[in-house]
Amino acid sequence: MLHAKLSASGAKKWINCPLSVVLESKMPNEETPYAKEGTLAHELSELKLRRELNLIGKEAYDTEVSKLDYDDEMDKYTDYYCDVVMEIVNKYDRNYSTVRLEEKVDFSPWVPEGFGTSDVIIISDNTAEVVDLKYGKGVKVSADNNPQLMLYALGVLNDYNYICDIKEVNLTIVQPRLDSISSFKINVYDLLEWGETIRVKALKAFNGEGDCVVGKHCDDGFCRARPICKAYADERLKIAKYDFKDPAELSADDIADILGTVDELVRWSKTIKDYALTKALSGEEYKGFKLVEGRSNRTFNIDDSKVLEILKGGGFKESEVCETTLKSLSSLEKMIGKKDFKTMLGSHVIKPMGKPTLVPIDDVRPVYNSAVNDFNNI
Ligand code: SF4
């Protein structure tokens, strides 16, 4: 698939950090399992919507769907997404509206060589709808002033306004696995004004000018340049240069400060280690380090069934050499089905207290009450 140098999905990064385009171009761009999963969910959703909109017959739909390797969970979540899309589609008179799926939009008047593919576009009267499926469940994405969807919206104006008179655009992001539907309405004047501010930033990023600017966009945008970005490293290493007031002992406030950043530091350290290992395997040398073989355990070089055969031949019974373990609660529930599982085992399901853990104050979970928990555990 052809990718734009300044992609709409990466807009948060290049708008905030113009040099990210240059740095990311130096890193391998391999498709992650999450990206593969997202692509599959998009393919399945597109087919389901085509069927809903009568753009594909039942037979062709069944044939196409049977080629996709998805599970029940994806089936359920894509159903949810398609229901949301159809609700939006049905807001408008079908005789006077247009629905486009996986439509390529051109926003190059604002962003050099800028184009992207919008999941769903609906145009009716003076309104355009842009709907986007986010299959990930790591970071909740808001539609409020979302640059990716606003670029798609500019593309819609560019591609369709010569035949329509769009005055308002509704942007919607559906994140079914987080049970999240986020919407944002913007009028065309504000959108075009935003486009003007973007034009300058896009040119800078396209020309590889400006600086690396660290912010939420580095992690939220999964910047591939994190292992090599000096600005990102400086930010993460601030904790190591912490200016403690009392050099002999850390105060509770010092520890609270460290707790606030330690997870980021650990994540970044892992990113650096993974990156350095990949580079070392392809010949890069790091002063003071060498590649060695890691620890490994002895194992058989034949199938378990063959091992069993040999053992039985040696006079051992199957029950003596094999262990049977019960499947996990979730696997059993999935296998039996929620309803039957509840009937058979529902009264035996408990939820033990979780281990106490320190989290930032804005975490939604209630505060751990050690007195109550001590009492419950007696
Ligand atoms: S890690 Fe952050 S600061 Fe560094 S290039 Fe990426 S977006 Fe820019």
Side-chain angles (χ1 to χ4, degrees), residues 17 20 23 212-214 217-218 223 225-226 229 232:
C17 173
S20 62
L23 259 70
C212 282
V213 183
V214 183
H217 51 273
C218 303
C223 180
R226 283 172 293 179
C229 176
Y232 189 80

Side-chain angles (χ1 to χ4, degrees), residues 55-68:
L55 299 172
I56 186 172
K58 167 115 179 53
E59 211 173 302
Y61 169 80
D62 288 344
T63 310
E64 291 305 313
V65 160
S66 69
K67 292 179 192 163
L68 303 179

Side-chain angles (χ1 to χ4, degrees), residues 41-57:
H42 276 81
E43 285 170 358
L44 181 59
S45 303
E46 186 192 351
L47 278 171
K48 287 184 177 183
L49 286 171
R50 288 200 181 284
R51 181 73 198 113
E52 285 276 352
L53 294 162
N54 272 325
L55 299 172
I56 186 172

